[in-house]
Amino acid sequence: MGAQDLLYIPVSAIREQLSFVTTDPLPWKEFALAASWTVNCFELYLLQRQYKYYSKTQPPEALKAYVSQEKFEKSQVYGKDKAKFSFFKTIYSQIWDSIFLYQGGFALCWKWSGHILASLGYGPDYQILQSIVFSMVFALVSSLSGLPLSIYSTFVLEERHGFNKTTPGLFVADMFKGWALGFALGAPFLWAFLKIFTWAGEHFVPWLIGFILGFQILMVFLYPLVIQPLFNKLTPLPAGELRERIEALATHLKFPLKHLYEIDGSKRSSHSNAYFFGLPWSKHIVVYDTLIKNAKVDGVEAVLAHELGHWFYYHPTKLMLISQLHILGVISCFPAFLHSTPLLLSFDFPASIAVHPPVIIAFMLYQTVLTPVDTFVSAAMHAVSRRFEYEADRFACELHTKHGVPGSEGMGKRLGEALISIMVDNLATLWTDPWFSAWHHTHPTLTERLKALEKYEKDVKLVSAKKEL
């Protein structure tokens, strides 16, 4: 028995347990509608909880010394406006999605894709080609449905509060670039994705997982070389104190820094950030021009010390491994849905198509049914992400005592001051409902991080005192 057969044993067992999916005429569409309404009603409830905090008239006690009353009031108004928009967006999107499902939107998109192919002289035998056209039609419908929300968010909400730098021309250019990029990457990806089913047959699971992982690694190569330059200009960070300190920090920690860039984030927004990406042996650090403009050199260095903490503790790798486990679970259960005629009939596909379900249709309907599961997985991933943020903050605080980085004393205090500066400049919400934060946020709140940083700094001082003794 080969390795492929061994891998197929658990998949076969899962398929047998879910055999009812292929035979029983269950109300899948009604389940998907009920699940999505339940999730969105819960999110509206969380928004309502958060909205109450925008009535606060004073900043949190821990921030009073750092945040002026004027800035706090502006952040409250901005937060309230964003919450109102989120209320409308959630309801609008839910109604749109419900109409799409109720009216057999997937079946209509498949029908339209067939008509498009027929007009080009291709028949139903070209299923992979029709699947690619179907995906394009579906993506276009989804994009156009969300276009009014995107326009309002950019040119009304963000503009009103002084963050928008995007011109109408740039907005349209970005939209068309996004569509072109989606086709350029999506079409070959989908072709290979569907070919695996034809080539591997019932043993597609390990091959499909390997393909998805390979594509993710390929994107790590393509992103800095092809994708990022289409939307933003990356220029080498100019020589000076900031560059020298970042390079010295990277060298001391043996961070494989290949390029250090400044990105023109101000081209679209006044919000600021910094991040790194790349392969294990070749990393790139990107600093937003808005961060360089609004923060001191000490602050930018502290933010990057935090980012290097993510690298030091292998956080991106760990998140990818968790993601692969999730993908493994999703793909392992899919064989039970792959040949489910009742699934397609429930979503209004004609019997002539449902009796031999196209792979792309079965997979998209399967994902629709999985919406509640994915929602909870996302919330769990947010909890993991918040834990990693605390670890990266601690790493920055311990640069001097544990890693012997020269000039890194008091890094926790510098990081805290930089976070306050960034959050205040971005008019970030300073009062947050704990339920809302737990469900939505990948980062701890500012007050939570400052409290943790204070504790880490005390721990560092204790360690230093013990060493002196």
Side-chain angles (χ1 to χ4, degrees):
M1 183 179 291
Q4 183 173 305
D5 295 318
L6 288 173
L7 288 170
Y8 185 68
I9 291 174
V11 174
S12 180
I14 294 172
R15 182 175 181 176
E16 185 176 345
Q17 290 295 318
L18 297 175
S19 59
F20 65 89
V21 172
T22 309
T23 57
D24 296 355
L26 300 174
W28 291 110
K29 182 171 73 173
E30 289 74 14
F31 169 78
L33 283 167
S36 63
W37 273 100
T38 300
V39 169
N40 278 285
C41 284
F42 178 66
E43 293 195 350
L44 287 173
Y45 166 70
L46 293 178
L47 268 171
Q48 180 267 333
R49 287 178 60 100
Q50 174 60 31
Y51 193 79
K52 295 178 182 178
Y53 285 83
Y54 297 121
S55 298
K56 298 274 190 179
T57 58
Q58 297 290 327
E61 195 65 34
L63 298 175
K64 281 186 177 180
Y66 305 99
V67 183
S68 69
Q69 186 63 26
E70 181 186 4
K71 279 285 188 180
F72 173 71
E73 290 174 359
K74 284 183 178 180
S75 74
Q76 290 291 84
V77 173
Y78 182 46
K80 186 175 286 188
D81 284 351
K82 286 198 299 180
K84 289 177 181 177
F85 176 67
S86 293
F87 270 113
F88 177 80
K89 181 180 179 181
T90 300
I91 295 170
Y92 170 88
S93 299
Q94 181 58 40
I95 292 174
W96 170 265
D97 291 344
S98 297
I99 293 173
F100 182 84
L101 288 179
Y102 188 77
Q103 295 297 328
F106 286 110
L108 285 173
C109 288
W110 183 258
K111 182 180 178 180
W112 294 338
S113 65
H115 290 331
I116 293 171
L117 278 186
S119 69
L120 298 174
Y122 295 95
D125 292 339
Y126 292 86
Q127 191 177 109
I128 291 182
L129 185 57
Q130 184 171 352
S131 298
I132 293 173
V133 175
F134 163 79
S135 298
M136 292 171 58
V137 171
F138 177 76
L140 181 62
V141 170
S142 300
S143 178
L144 291 177
S145 70
L147 186 58
L149 297 174
S150 183
I151 291 173
Y152 181 87
S153 175
T154 302
F155 296 108
V156 179
L157 179 59
E158 294 296 301
E159 184 77 31
R160 180 186 300 157
H161 295 277
F163 290 117
N164 177 49
K165 302 297 180 184
T166 302
T167 63
L170 184 59
F171 181 88
V172 173
D174 282 351
M175 182 174 65
F176 281 105
K177 284 179 186 178
W179 287 350
L181 187 62
F183 176 75
L185 293 175
F189 171 85
L190 189 56
W191 180 86
F193 180 92
L194 296 173
K195 271 293 183 181
I196 289 173
F197 289 88
T198 305
W199 171 72
E202 297 296 326
H203 296 79
F204 69 84
V205 171
W207 298 105
L208 192 60
I209 293 171
F211 168 70
I212 293 173
L213 177 60
F215 182 78
Q216 290 174 332
I217 295 173
L218 176 64
M219 289 302 295
V220 173
F221 279 105
L222 291 180
Y223 183 79
L225 299 175
V226 179
I227 300 174
Q228 183 89 60
L230 292 174
F231 298 93
N232 289 96
K233 183 179 180 181
L234 276 73
T235 55
L237 188 68
E241 183 185 3
L242 178 59
R243 185 179 185 94
E244 290 172 1
R245 287 169 70 165
I246 294 172
E247 288 178 339
L249 179 61
T251 300
H252 192 93
L253 295 172
K254 298 182 180 179
F255 178 79
L257 178 62
K258 185 174 183 180
H259 292 115
L260 180 53
Y261 294 115
E262 177 181 343
I263 189 171
D264 59 342
S266 58
K267 181 180 179 181
R268 290 175 175 80
S269 173
S270 297
H271 295 297
S272 53
N273 198 6
Y275 61 92
F276 73 88
F277 63 90
L279 296 166
W281 56 87
S282 177
K283 298 291 186 183
H284 313 267
I285 290 178
V286 178
V287 185
Y288 277 57
D289 56 355
T290 48
L291 179 61
I292 296 172
K293 178 182 177 182
N294 297 329
K296 299 176 182 177
V297 171
D298 277 354
V300 178
E301 183 187 25
V303 170
L304 289 171
H306 164 90
E307 292 300 320
L308 293 183
H310 288 306
W311 162 79
F312 184 82
Y313 288 117
Y314 300 99
H315 290 162
T317 304
K318 290 176 182 177
L319 287 173
M320 177 173 278
L321 288 174
I322 295 172
S323 173
Q324 294 308 309
L325 289 175
H326 177 228
I327 291 172
L328 174 62
V330 170
I331 300 299
S332 296
C333 293
F334 178 55
F337 292 81
L338 178 56
H339 304 293
S340 177
T341 297
L343 177 65
L344 271 72
L345 290 174
S346 177
F347 283 92
D348 303 303
F349 280 85
S352 58
I353 295 174
V355 71
H356 297 296
V359 173
I360 187 63
I361 298 298
F363 191 74
M364 292 190 74
L365 297 183
Y366 169 60
Q367 286 186 306
T368 302
V369 171
L370 275 186
T371 296
V373 175
D374 286 340
T375 300
F376 285 103
V377 169
S378 177
M381 290 293 288
H382 289 168
V384 173
S385 176
R386 288 193 297 273
R387 179 181 175 182
F388 287 170
E389 293 300 320
Y390 281 126
E391 288 183 353
D393 283 351
R394 177 181 276 277
F395 173 83
C397 293
E398 296 174 342
L399 279 178
H400 180 67
T401 55
K402 278 196 172 182
H403 306 283
V405 177
S408 61
E409 299 90 342
M411 188 66 78
K413 184 174 183 295
R414 286 150 55 183
L415 177 58
E417 290 172 350
L419 291 174
I420 292 170
S421 175
I422 292 170
M423 298 290 272
V424 170
D425 288 339
N426 290 343
L427 296 183
T429 299
L430 302 181
W431 285 103
T432 308
D433 176 73
W435 285 27
F436 182 87
S437 179
W439 187 258
H440 287 289
H441 291 172
T442 58
H443 289 58
T445 65
L446 178 58
T447 50
E448 288 171 338
R449 291 183 74 177
L450 292 177
K451 184 178 179 180
L453 283 169
E454 186 178 350
K455 178 182 179 301
Y456 300 153
E457 282 291 283
K458 287 180 180 178
D459 293 343
V460 166
K461 289 178 181 177
L462 285 174
V463 171
S464 298
K466 288 180 180 177
K467 284 184 178 179
E468 291 176 3
L469 292 175

